[in-house]
Amino acid sequence: MGVNRRDFLKITGLGTLVGVGGKAAADLVFKGQVEAQEARPNEGALVGKRWAMVVDTKKCIEKIHKDGCKDCSIACHTVHNVPDFGNPKDEIKWIWQDTFEHICPNQHHPFTSESLEGAPFLALCNHCDNPPCVRVCPTGATFQRDDGIVLMDFHRCIGCRFCMAGCPYGSRSFNWRDPRPFVQNAREDFPTRMRGVVEKCNFCAERLAEGKPPACVEACKVKALIFGDLEDPHSEVREVLHEHYSLRRKPELGTMPQIYYIV
Amino acid sequence: MIDKALIGGRKYYGLIAVLLGVIGVGVLCYLWQFFYGLGITGLSRDVSWGLYIAQFTFLVGVAASAVMVVLPYYLHDYKAFGKITVLGEFLAIASVAMCMLFIFVDMGQPLRVLNVLLHPTPNSVMFWDFMVLTGYLLLNLVIGWISLDCERKGVAPPKWIKPFIYLSIPWAVSIHTVTAFLYAGLPGRHLWLTAILAARFIASAFASGPSLLIILCLIVRKTTRFDPGKEAIQTLAKIVTYAMSLNVFFLGLEFFTAFYSQIPGHMHPLVYLYAGLEGHGALIPWMWTSTALAAIALILLVNPGTRKNENILAFAVVAVFFSTWIDKGMGLVVGGFIPNPLEHVVEYTPTLPEVMITLGVWAIGFLILTVLFKIAVTVKEEAAS
């Protein structure tokens, strides 16, 4: 054979270049088509223009005070295979409870009404209209859909955690270690994650595609969580927001959060 | 010229062996992290960046400071810096290499890191940081290597290198500006959300980088036959003095805005860092050490009598280096996360493997620096003889 070391390296090097370049080129050509196909909704899917959620805190607080309700968190964390590490350092949470003064730090004052002082409030991703996490993500792993939902591509995320620094609501969690051993009875209709990627509430995009409301909304027995399309003037979210005074978390930051709290 | 790095005395081999030892421990710890995940660090969902990103931020400054020798030499024809420009450029190469490694070890999915290039996102400052750091590394590699090779051959550098040298000057400013923008554009992180952050970064960079260069020059003079020159060292000392004064002034501006405005969100991180918040104050001793070192260093540097004494100067620049390392390396990055967005105080303490990985990356940087300086100094020794 007349192939010496130098020629061998040249040939394999060239082959690698073509291989890498070829894949990138194919992505450029076909990417749009693939995404266009994915964007066509299922038959029977819930379709909206601007999804939002309203939390009726009166109903929610009452229920939690009565029986320590955690139905929404349990439902969400079950359907999304959220691991339970049992320690705050590794903790991953999509929807959870904190107190009013921590959820809305600037709304609290020493004479806050008794019903709100120390009252449990729900925290979850705000699916901001102007999301800082999407702005800072260096790979497009976090992106916003046309219907406003902010989603994560767990396979593209490089785990740089810029989005966690960017989120002013602490809504994002990171898989500091392999989460799979800590998921009990993992469901097969939603992916488990691997270590080293960020995750958060996805407004149950996978359930909307099947025509189902978000798991937390379905799980709430007192109907304290109302989910709907803000662009639809006849939607329930529009009606309740029209009738009641509501708060948003840190509105001064211009992120335009889409979780509304009726107080 | 690489051959010059292969032949050295016992001390040279000894230093390399020590560095390789530290690197070895770091690599082992990194393998542990690679297979377990970043959970071996002290990081949490509340403090999600720590020691690694802090070192990265600090070292971008050291890298950028090469411009403080390049600019006077090439734009103002300041001859005294002619001997040490290549040292500045080689320090920049080692620093940028460390920056990249610190980013790499901080990634949750390191094997996917090239997604940054595969899916370019110009809206992300991190994308731009990746670009400017890579560009700066290439610029300094080309400029440093070509200039040194010409010095070895006793010929003038080729003309085509000049545009690259001029480009490297604003480029140096850009790497630290973009790095500051990683922080300064985030809503809801009050310690970082300040227009003066990039200016602060550059001021502290031009204090810490030349400080390290002075220390390195003194070491080179003591251990080799190459003398960087008293005048060059004294001019660097003046640069450190001005830059450190500006750095402290800029920090003072932060305190004024936070405490005169009395806006709680702006005060909280500073209160946490210097006095503690809700009973938590792990960084208080560090921050006051930084403050004390800065004060001592400034007294010694501003006073010409002490600045001109090279022994005192050596002490002063070591103080500047550690003061800025604590302030920017630990305080700024960790303090930005405390209190967290829900106003809980959750602290962060690096773990032992995290510290070992950090030391490992520093050792890789010093190994690169040692080899590059060995080459540069040998070339200069031979040119002089």
Side-chain angles (χ1 to χ4, degrees):
Chain A
M1 277 292 286
V3 180
N4 61 22
R5 197 178 114 87
R6 195 180 163 83
D7 284 339
F8 175 76
L9 288 176
K10 269 189 199 163
I11 295 164
T12 47
L14 199 66
T16 314
L17 271 178
V18 171
V20 173
K23 192 193 167 300
D27 275 355
L28 278 176
V29 176
F30 299 116
K31 202 167 144 192
Q33 291 177 18
V34 173
E35 280 181 358
Q37 281 168 5
E38 283 169 355
R40 199 191 310 135
N42 284 344
E43 246 174 80
L46 288 180
V47 182
K49 287 193 177 129
R50 172 65 260 190
W51 292 117
M53 189 182 284
V54 179
V55 182
D56 188 331
T57 63
K58 273 183 223 157
K59 287 183 188 167
C60 183
I61 294 167
E62 206 172 286
K63 181 79 164 68
I64 294 170
H65 280 326
K66 203 171 110 194
D67 59 5
C69 176
K70 281 184 180 168
D71 290 350
C72 56
S73 303
I74 293 168
C76 167
H77 290 187
T78 307
V79 302
H80 294 122
N81 294 325
V82 175
D84 180 8
F85 294 99
N87 73 70
K89 191 180 157 302
D90 292 323
E91 190 176 26
I92 290 177
K93 44 193 181 184
W94 285 30
I95 177 168
W96 72 99
Q97 289 169 19
D98 206 325
T99 55
F100 168 67
E101 51 270 34
H102 288 291
I103 299 285
C104 303
N106 297 330
Q107 311 283 348
H108 171 256
H109 60 78
F111 308 102
T112 308
S113 86
E114 217 170 280
S115 57
L116 283 178
E117 182 74 43
F121 262 53
L122 290 176
L124 66 158
C125 171
N126 277 292
H127 295 277
C128 303
D129 233 7
N130 184 13
C133 55
V134 172
R135 193 156 63 237
V136 301
C137 177
T139 63
T142 279
F143 58 99
Q144 187 179 31
R145 295 203 314 196
D146 288 342
D147 60 5
I149 298 182
V150 176
L151 282 182
M152 281 285 312
D153 181 342
F154 303 125
H155 301 280
R156 192 184 284 189
C157 175
I158 59 174
C160 72
R161 311 190 295 294
F162 201 6
C163 56
M164 296 176 77
C167 176
Y169 305 103
S171 293
R172 292 176 158 265
S173 306
F174 183 73
N175 287 281
W176 298 103
R177 52 189 296 197
D178 183 10
R180 285 171 187 145
F182 300 89
V183 180
Q184 276 165 5
N185 309 321
R187 294 169 55 123
E188 283 175 6
D189 53 0
F190 196 81
T192 52
R193 273 72 69 193
M194 68 194 302
R195 66 168 179 270
V197 297
V198 173
E199 61 181 80
K200 66 167 196 74
C201 156
N202 65 350
F203 251 8
C204 283
E206 82 288 357
R207 287 171 58 92
L208 299 179
E210 293 173 352
K212 295 185 222 162
C216 55
V217 174
E218 195 177 80
C220 182
K221 296 190 185 78
V222 293
K223 304 261 177 280
L225 300 178
I226 305 145
F227 180 80
D229 185 2
L230 278 185
E231 297 269 316
D232 172 7
H234 306 295
S235 63
E236 197 186 350
V237 277
R238 278 285 287 273
E239 271 172 33
V240 289
L241 287 179
H242 187 70
E243 283 164 21
H244 300 87
Y245 178 69
S246 57
L247 298 175
R248 290 194 290 178
R249 294 172 69 190
K250 304 187 182 177
E252 72 278 11
L253 298 179
T255 56
M256 293 186 272
Q258 297 302 316
I259 307 293
Y260 299 79
Y261 297 87
I262 296 176
V263 288
Chain B
M1 289 189 288
I2 292 176
D3 55 312
K4 312 231 180 300
L6 302 175
I7 308 148
R10 257 179 54 196
K11 276 183 186 167
Y12 174 66
Y13 291 130
L15 177 61
I16 299 245
V18 170
L19 290 173
L20 284 175
V22 180
I23 293 169
V25 178
V27 168
L28 286 179
C29 288
Y30 181 71
L31 284 175
W32 179 13
Q33 178 185 296
F34 186 84
F35 290 110
Y36 180 89
L38 280 158
I40 67 159
T41 67
L43 298 167
S44 65
R45 78 190 297 289
D46 297 300
V47 182
S48 45
W49 283 340
L51 206 51
Y52 301 150
I53 293 297
Q55 306 308 302
F56 153 77
T57 310
F58 177 73
L59 285 165
V60 172
V62 176
S65 71
V67 76
M68 282 290 104
V69 286
V70 171
L71 191 149
Y73 180 60
Y74 286 105
L75 290 191
H76 301 277
D77 199 25
Y78 181 64
K79 296 270 190 313
F81 276 177
K83 284 167 109 177
I84 58 165
T85 0
V86 77
L87 298 187
E89 284 154 357
F90 282 176
L91 174 59
I93 293 170
S95 305
V96 178
M98 282 190 267
C99 290
M100 290 178 156
L101 282 170
F102 274 117
I103 290 279
F104 186 78
V105 299
D106 190 66
M107 293 292 123
Q109 283 292 330
L111 301 181
R112 293 181 190 163
V113 74
L114 289 177
N115 275 1
V116 175
L117 297 179
L118 199 59
H119 308 287
T121 45
N123 49 294
S124 173
V125 181
M126 201 170 279
F127 168 75
W128 290 107
D129 216 26
F130 201 94
M131 296 291 129
V132 291
L133 279 177
T134 312
Y136 193 65
L137 181 64
L138 294 176
L139 277 175
N140 278 288
L141 270 174
V142 170
I143 297 167
W145 199 258
I146 298 280
S147 319
L148 190 64
D149 201 34
C150 291
E151 195 174 333
R152 182 176 66 95
K153 291 173 183 151
V155 295
K159 270 197 175 139
W160 60 264
I161 199 85
K162 271 286 163 80
F164 289 97
I165 292 170
Y166 293 141
L167 180 63
S168 79
I169 293 170
W171 204 289
V173 179
S174 85
I175 63 168
H176 221 21
T177 305
V178 174
T179 303
F181 285 178
L182 286 175
Y183 300 97
L186 302 179
R189 302 278 177 191
H190 299 292
L191 187 67
W192 301 339
L193 191 73
T194 160
I196 208 174
L197 197 68
R200 260 180 79 193
F201 271 25
I202 290 169
S204 75
F206 292 171
S208 59
S211 288
L212 182 55
L213 197 55
I214 290 175
I215 299 164
L216 292 170
C217 283
L218 293 174
I219 294 173
V220 162
R221 182 160 71 192
K222 204 158 191 181
T223 54
T224 72
R225 280 178 291 125
F226 169 62
D227 181 5
K230 208 171 168 64
E231 188 190 337
I233 290 175
Q234 280 304 315
T235 308
L236 279 176
K238 281 180 199 146
I239 291 172
V240 172
T241 310
Y242 278 109
M244 190 60 184
S245 310
L246 278 174
N247 182 40
V248 171
F249 173 61
F250 289 163
L251 183 63
L253 298 183
E254 301 281 16
F255 273 90
F256 173 79
T257 303
F259 289 94
Y260 195 81
S261 74
Q262 290 282 304
I263 297 174
H266 290 270
M267 295 190 290
H268 283 159
L270 290 173
V271 173
Y272 166 72
L273 288 174
Y274 289 88
L277 200 62
E278 294 176 18
H280 299 280
L283 284 171
I284 301 171
W286 289 93
M287 297 319 289
W288 286 106
T289 305
S290 170
T291 310
L293 287 173
I296 295 167
L298 274 182
I299 292 168
L300 297 177
L301 285 169
V302 169
N303 186 334
T306 44
R307 187 177 66 232
K308 283 177 185 155
N309 178 327
E310 280 188 355
N311 291 325
I312 298 176
L313 175 66
F315 173 79
V317 292
V318 168
V320 167
F321 187 79
F322 281 104
S323 172
T324 49
W325 179 77
I326 295 169
D327 174 42
K328 193 151 112 196
M330 282 303 278
L332 187 102
V333 174
V334 176
F337 288 102
I338 302 171
N340 77 5
L342 288 105
E343 302 212 340
H344 290 292
V345 179
V346 181
E347 295 199 282
Y348 156 79
T349 317
T351 60
L352 186 63
E354 192 178 3
V355 172
M356 295 320 294
I357 292 171
T358 303
L359 287 177
V361 175
W362 274 97
I364 293 174
F366 272 104
L367 182 66
I368 296 172
L369 189 73
T370 307
V371 168
L372 288 176
F373 268 40
K374 173 75 171 62
I375 294 171
V377 167
T378 313
V379 165
K380 283 170 187 294
E381 281 174 343
E382 283 170 7
S385 62

